[in-house]
Amino acid sequence: MAEFVTERQQRATGAPPETPPPESPESLDGAEAAAILDRARASVDPELRTAVDSLPGSMRRIARYHFGWEQADGTPAAGDAGKALRPALVLAAADALGGPAARAAAVRAAAAVELVHNFTLLHDDVMDRDTSRRHRPTAWTVFGDADAILAGDALQALALRLLAEDPHPASGPAAVRLTQCVLELCAGQHADTAMEARAPGEVGLDEVLVMAEAKTGALLGSACALGALYAGAAAEEVAALDGFGRQAGLAFQLIDDVIGIWGDPRRTGKPAGADLAARKKSLPVVAALTSGTPAADELAELYAGPRERADADEIARMALAVERAGGRDWAQAEAADRMARVMQELARAVPDPESAGGLLALAEFVTRRSR
């Protein structure tokens, strides 16, 4: 196992934004992850659509728009429903520990995790006032705040109903774990919102890492844990896969924050530097602000300015200050460190390299993506 980990880890810990994107034909790991994600989407989409179609008409319309299945007027659309990373983790974990039969049994749980994820997206877009997602206007900009929030609430209820109606013996423990995850997500979002009201120099890097684990790592960890539960895994294996997902989630958030500053809007579907314009205290930003460098002082001064006046030049100055203060390099190095921890947790849960391959490909995907 040590030789396997070393070889894969060397490829997993390169500087994430500079490596080929996962969909690139030059990246074999990307091709493997893309195939896993496609299979997950194909397995989970019918369950998702059935669940969403059971909603009351007004909520159904908003949810179908959010998933990219319909236009705002209700006509069919072939939009982007997302990468299906979280349901893919559920299915890959079940397969790694229980084989194809466990994977097939976990499809409903995978759909539940995807519903919870999209509940958080609908609410986050309202709170963050994000106007675009997946290359189209966000639901709140089309239907209003109240309707978008209610649609998110409905998706969360659907997720729990899917598990409550599932006759599989793991459905009860899975529902408890997913409910605990939602509570952690809410706490993480509250911490994130509270940080936005604090002065740049009042936020420490450790507390931002804790917040990021709650907001992002918790759901990825829960996804992996649910897959393990449906495979009938022992408590130690469930805990190790939860840790695997949490560390992968932190790596995911680190790269997401890098992309939020330096990503290409044509690929991200969001305006360039949107996180900086909103003065978000993302991980690279807080690393820069706490660096004790002249660039940190410049960034703090820029961040203290009024948000509504941030133009393209000011956003560019903020991005340069983050980079000069070491925020980008720190985020890349920290993502690599989290990937090393991912390997350790995965080795504890799934010692057979061949069985672990799907989970590892997905973990590598989150640090090699460009959008």
Side-chain angles (χ1 to χ4, degrees):
M1 181 63 185
E3 182 179 348
F4 165 78
V5 168
T6 300
E7 179 187 352
R8 296 299 293 265
Q9 185 174 335
Q10 286 173 345
R11 289 185 285 116
T13 56
E18 279 88 35
T19 53
E23 59 272 22
S24 167
E26 296 89 32
S27 173
L28 295 179
D29 286 333
E32 182 182 357
I36 293 169
L37 292 168
D38 286 345
R39 288 197 298 271
R41 177 60 71 195
S43 297
V44 171
D45 258 6
E47 194 77 49
L48 273 179
R49 288 177 179 268
T50 298
V52 169
D53 284 348
S54 71
L55 289 171
S58 57
M59 296 297 96
R60 181 169 64 245
R61 177 187 174 198
I62 300 164
R64 291 183 65 84
Y65 172 84
H66 170 75
F67 278 109
W69 302 334
E70 287 184 357
Q71 306 289 359
D73 62 4
T75 57
D80 180 7
K83 293 178 282 290
L85 173 62
R86 291 152 191 84
L89 285 169
V90 176
L91 299 179
D95 195 23
L97 292 174
R103 184 187 189 281
V107 168
R108 187 173 292 185
V113 168
E114 184 72 342
L115 287 167
V116 165
H117 173 53
N118 281 276
F119 134 68
T120 68
L121 296 182
L122 282 162
H123 284 200
D124 284 357
D125 285 343
V126 173
M127 287 182 277
D128 296 341
R129 310 315 286 170
D130 284 338
T131 58
S132 64
R133 179 174 294 281
R134 298 166 183 164
H135 305 277
R136 66 196 318 222
T138 47
W140 74 267
T141 67
V142 176
F143 302 100
D145 289 0
D147 283 357
I149 291 168
L150 289 169
D153 294 341
L155 294 188
Q156 182 188 178
L158 276 183
L160 295 177
R161 192 181 76 186
L162 281 181
L163 293 175
E165 294 176 348
D166 190 350
H168 194 282
S171 63
V176 171
R177 185 172 284 268
L178 193 58
T179 302
Q180 292 172 335
C181 175
V182 170
L183 294 174
E184 191 173 354
L185 289 169
C186 291
Q189 180 63 24
H190 179 268
D192 189 22
T193 303
M195 284 178 191
E196 296 309 305
R198 291 160 61 186
E202 295 178 355
V203 178
L205 195 51
D206 287 345
E207 64 178 316
V208 180
L209 283 166
V210 170
M211 178 272 293
E213 180 176 344
K215 278 195 62 175
T216 305
L219 188 54
L220 269 67
S222 184
C224 296
L226 260 63
L229 287 171
Y230 271 75
E236 295 80 5
E237 294 169 323
V238 175
L241 277 187
D242 181 90
F244 161 85
R246 284 175 179 270
Q247 294 301 325
L250 275 171
F252 182 101
Q253 188 60 58
L254 285 155
I255 300 309
D256 197 63
D257 286 352
V258 169
I259 292 169
I261 298 173
W262 293 283
D264 183 350
R266 293 171 297 180
R267 299 179 65 80
T268 66
K270 294 184 177 182
D275 287 355
L276 294 175
R279 306 298 200 277
K280 288 189 70 66
K281 295 179 180 68
S282 64
L283 286 159
V285 166
V286 176
L289 286 168
T290 57
S291 66
T293 62
D297 295 335
E298 179 186 356
L299 180 62
E301 184 178 347
L302 289 166
Y303 252 54
R307 301 183 185 188
E308 61 273 11
R309 296 181 184 175
D311 56 21
D313 288 342
E314 188 173 6
I315 290 171
R317 287 174 60 201
M318 285 190 277
L320 181 59
V322 174
E323 189 155 13
R324 288 172 52 211
R328 186 173 189 171
D329 288 343
W330 175 87
Q332 292 174 351
E334 187 70 13
D337 178 67
R338 297 296 170 172
M339 278 302 296
R341 301 187 198 187
V342 162
M343 302 291 186
Q344 294 168 359
E345 296 290 354
L346 185 57
R348 283 203 308 131
V350 191
D352 174 33
E354 186 173 351
S355 298
L359 284 168
L360 185 54
L362 292 173
E364 291 179 343
F365 167 81
V366 305
T367 59
R368 291 173 175 267
R369 65 198 186 93
S370 60
R371 59 189 173 94

